[in-house]
Amino acid sequence: MNTLFIDNRMGISGAKLLGALLDMMEAPETFIRRFNDMGFKGVKLEKHAEALKGITGSKVEFIRVSSNIEEEYYEYEADDDQEKEDKGRRSLFSRRRQETSEGNSHRSSSRHRRLNDVKAIIDDLPLSGKIRKRAINIYERIAAASAAANKLDINELKLHRTGSRDVIASVVGVCMIMDELEPESVVASPIATGTGYANTYRGIMPIPIPALQNILEQTPYSSGKEEGEICTLEGAAILREYVDKFSDMPEIVVIKSGAGFGNREFRTGVNCTRVFIGQVVATAANSSVTELEASLFDDSAEALKLTGEKLAACGAIEAFTLPISMLTGGTGILLRCICPNERADEAAGEILRNTSARSVRRAVTAAYDTESVIDKITTSVGEIRVLKTTGFGVTKTKPLAEDVAKVARERNISILQAYEMIIKEI
């Protein structure tokens, strides 16, 4: 299966995803020429090569090319003196513009488009019906989420940053490339939104802002480690439009990959979105599980027992410890927990709450799952419950430990003797 994986653990925006997709194309210049020739008024798409901390990729920019198009200014977060000094001369299309966050925290712009204005711009472009519908779906999702957050009618809502020409162009560009790629499946990592507060046109708000929270409803996301907004409204809406499943990267043989960079320098990582496309590895594995592990030091037996009980309540399939020796000296234990993917965050939280762990590492692993049922059989020592496991040409039958112990007590024999008596008859 031809699968596209979008790695947005360092955030996502329309421009970053467009840069990553362009970086993956064999002839990006051809696409850029086609985009610039289709008559998107006022902007021109450019791509520049970037490299940072061992990652190579592309950065896209939309520059102003016509004085006939109304200038669109964008006021970034700034202190009062700087804001007064810079007001009115930071063009949205300036290649030297500064960013305070990937979400471009703002207060106002010289023109605010509404949903119908954006639809009119998209309708004017020579796009296929499929591409046009995808782009409009994305903006309808943005408008609905923002209107709900602001308690406004969707048609009266001003779109502010997402209504600017460069953002509209980035959304259209992504939809065009996705239409060319035609992946059979799109998978994306859980979304990172950023931490702290955003300075929006409605004042300071915690991240994720309410409109973004509405878009991310029923979608896995976390704050990540980077301060500021690193997931934009259009980035989240694009993912909701195209992604079939949110999870860690599946097992695929990568054919092509790309990275799209943002403008701001991150403190804790690289400001980029990465994409990979390839064929899913065909194995007999029929499911996947999440493996969690953490290094523990000086945890009491009581603390470990409680942690085990908490993990069991989280649906843990297995939980155990192994002794470890640190290369720098000292000893400890390695706690490992295997749990369902959908309950991994809950299980990781219990480990952090109830042990000395400072971090929990996580990996999704393919699993060969069998089917198990509890049955009852009649034997010479009475009715015994057994666990029957089948799958992959294997069948196993095992008496339940409680029933073996009951037979041992009733007959005054050892557990081993009771087990051997029962196993001969099942």
Side-chain angles (χ1 to χ4, degrees):
M1 178 184 289
N2 189 19
T3 295
L4 173 69
F5 177 71
I6 304 171
D7 181 358
N8 50 74
R9 291 174 296 175
M10 279 295 160
I12 186 167
S13 68
K16 283 165 64 173
L17 181 56
L18 179 58
L21 293 171
L22 275 173
D23 191 54
M24 188 171 62
M25 298 181 77
E26 289 184 4
E29 308 82 13
T30 303
F31 176 86
I32 293 171
R33 192 180 309 115
R34 181 160 63 90
F35 184 93
N36 288 334
D37 288 346
M38 74 176 180
F40 198 110
K41 296 177 182 177
V43 295
K44 177 183 177 184
L45 171 61
E46 289 189 356
K47 181 180 82 72
H48 312 283
E50 293 282 333
L52 185 62
K53 296 182 181 179
I55 299 177
T56 59
S58 300
K59 181 190 290 184
V60 299
E61 287 187 284
F62 293 95
I63 60 173
R64 187 178 180 222
V65 295
S66 172
S67 59
N68 294 327
I69 300 298
E70 180 185 350
E71 188 83 44
E72 293 176 342
Y73 292 102
Y74 189 90
E75 295 183 9
Y76 291 80
E77 178 185 4
D79 58 52
D80 290 340
D81 293 337
Q82 185 67 37
E83 186 173 280
K84 290 173 183 176
E85 179 183 342
D86 290 349
K87 186 176 182 181
R89 64 185 178 86
R90 277 175 288 189
S91 170
L92 178 62
F93 305 109
S94 170
R95 294 177 61 179
R96 295 186 297 274
R97 71 181 184 267
Q98 63 177 352
E99 281 187 301
T100 58
S101 73
E102 206 58 35
N104 296 340
S105 298
H106 63 289
R107 285 209 268 249
S108 64
S109 66
S110 62
R111 178 176 179 182
H112 299 306
R113 293 188 175 89
R114 293 178 168 82
L115 178 59
N116 285 336
D117 299 321
V118 174
K119 286 182 178 180
I121 291 174
I122 295 172
D123 283 336
D124 277 345
L125 298 173
L127 302 170
S128 71
K130 182 179 175 184
I131 295 172
R132 182 177 289 105
K133 186 175 187 304
R134 289 283 202 176
I136 289 176
N137 284 350
I138 289 165
Y139 267 95
E140 286 178 342
R141 189 184 297 274
I142 293 170
S146 300
N150 293 285
K151 294 182 172 54
L152 293 173
D153 180 272
I154 191 170
N155 294 313
E156 294 302 316
L157 175 82
K158 295 176 181 178
L159 287 169
H160 299 286
R161 187 194 69 84
T162 51
S164 62
R165 285 184 177 270
D166 69 334
V167 177
I168 300 170
S170 70
V171 170
V172 170
V174 168
C175 293
M176 291 171 67
I177 296 180
M178 290 296 289
D179 188 63
E180 286 189 21
L181 290 175
E182 289 188 305
E184 296 173 72
S185 173
V186 181
V187 181
S189 65
I191 300 167
T193 62
T195 65
Y197 295 87
N199 193 6
T200 75
Y201 76 98
R202 293 179 64 85
I204 295 174
M205 292 186 178
I207 299 170
I209 62 173
L212 180 59
Q213 218 169 348
N214 289 341
I215 294 176
L216 296 178
E217 196 171 286
Q218 298 182 338
T219 302
Y221 68 91
S222 65
S223 60
K225 296 182 179 180
E226 188 63 29
E227 290 187 13
E229 289 182 286
I230 63 174
C231 175
T232 63
L233 295 179
E234 82 278 2
I238 290 169
L239 292 178
R240 289 297 306 274
E241 176 66 20
Y242 284 102
V243 173
D244 301 304
K245 178 183 178 183
F246 288 91
S247 74
D248 291 331
M249 187 172 182
E251 294 179 81
I252 61 174
V253 177
V254 176
I255 299 171
K256 298 175 187 176
S257 63
F261 288 87
N263 292 319
R264 180 163 62 96
E265 184 176 344
F266 279 8
R267 295 186 181 91
T268 59
V270 180
N271 183 4
C272 73
T273 296
R274 298 199 295 171
V275 293
F276 306 83
I277 196 165
Q279 299 295 318
V280 173
V281 176
T283 70
N286 55 2
S287 71
S288 65
V289 293
T290 296
E291 296 186 29
L292 303 174
E293 68 172 29
S295 301
L296 310 182
F297 301 93
D298 303 320
D299 288 82
S300 67
E302 291 78 9
L304 293 176
K305 181 181 178 183
L306 176 61
T307 303
E309 292 171 355
K310 296 287 187 180
L311 292 175
C314 291
I317 301 165
E318 294 179 25
F320 55 90
T321 59
L322 297 168
I324 55 174
S325 298
M326 307 303 291
L327 294 178
T328 54
T331 60
I333 60 174
L334 182 69
L335 169 62
R336 298 201 70 193
C337 172
I338 300 172
C339 63
N341 297 330
E342 64 272 13
R343 304 197 69 178
D345 290 345
E346 186 182 353
E350 294 295 354
I351 293 172
L352 291 170
R353 267 190 293 274
N354 295 288
T355 71
S356 62
R358 288 183 293 177
S359 70
V360 178
R361 297 169 290 280
R362 166 180 172 166
V364 175
T365 305
Y368 297 83
D369 273 353
T370 57
E371 291 187 5
S372 298
V373 295
I374 294 178
D375 200 1
K376 292 180 180 180
I377 61 171
T378 302
T379 71
S380 60
V381 294
E383 192 172 67
I384 301 294
R385 291 174 299 162
V386 295
L387 180 67
K388 287 188 176 181
T389 303
T390 58
F392 301 95
V394 176
T395 300
K396 299 178 182 179
T397 304
K398 179 182 179 181
L400 297 189
E402 305 95 285
D403 288 17
V404 175
K406 180 182 177 184
V407 171
R409 286 194 298 270
E410 290 175 349
R411 300 205 167 223
N412 196 25
I413 56 177
S414 69
I415 293 287
L416 179 59
Q417 289 173 314
Y419 180 82
E420 289 176 344
M421 289 176 63
I422 295 169
I423 206 69
K424 288 178 182 178
E425 300 186 40
I426 63 175

